[in-house]
Amino acid sequence: MDQPARATIREHFAPLPDPRSDHCKQHQLLDIITIALCGVICGAEGWTEIEQFGRVKVDDTSNEITALPELIQVLALQGCIVTIDAMGCQTAIAQTIIAQGADYVLALKGNQPTLEQAVRAMFADAQATGFHGLAYDHHTTVEKGHGRIETRRCWTISEPEHIAYLNEQGGWAGLRSIGMVDAERTIGEATSREARYFISSLAGEARQVGQAVRAHWGIENGLHWVLDIAFREDDCRVRQGEAAQNFAILRHVALNLLREERTAKIGVKAKRLKAGWDEQYLLRVLQL
């Protein structure tokens, strides 16, 4: 019997449109979905409980940007590549990563508008001229299976003059290259495409940068769409608007992940409690 198709959380929800107005967005839609899914796995029965699950434990006078360098400082990162979403694209964070003997690939998306615009312009100009006279690299991967084709094209520019222009004030410690990943996904007749931009302390090997970006979203999960009484669906009081349907989908995904985790010889309800108590077990459920 053929194994069921697998997809990462990012891949599965990639076609999902974001209905929010741009000026109201404080978090990426994929981040919200991931937090909500983890919350349901760990026992959340409603949106209020998911909100409590998703809060970042930092000082009242701090925030994620100031907390990240503190976290990085206590990790053993020598020789590692640290990848962080746009929220973490800050000079202080880059400096801390380099000080720990690691490299970074940091996403650009609205958080550094001037830098992002400059990087976008550099790649647009480079592509228009076929990267003529530039130090650059390119790598493409194509994955086929289960009715979908995924093509990822990664370009890097490590031209010293370009990097010096972007880092004129020297604030980006170790900056050596910029990257662009063009991801195209086709399922049947539908094709979606997204271009993402990055800055990096890596030398500029496109394969390495592309693999780092790909690994960032490498949470594997299976989707079987089944229900179980352990989720107390009949008792759920989520009713307003689309909330009930959205929460039902989260239950389906969470249940499938819990059933696929077979190292703990206990029931689904007990697995939910265990995931809430033990972060390492939660990661195992997520197959991370």
Side-chain angles (χ1 to χ4, degrees), residues 91-113:
T91 55
I93 292 174
Q95 175 64 58
T96 305
I97 293 171
I98 294 298
Q100 290 291 90
D103 283 298
Y104 59 78
V105 177
L106 305 180
L108 287 169
K109 192 171 183 180
N111 56 312
Q112 298 282 350

Side-chain angles (χ1 to χ4, degrees), residues 274-275 277-288:
K274 183 176 177 64
W277 295 331
D278 185 347
E279 184 175 307
Q280 292 304 312
Y281 182 71
L282 172 60
L283 294 177
R284 185 180 300 167
V285 171
L286 292 171
Q287 301 181 40
L288 180 62

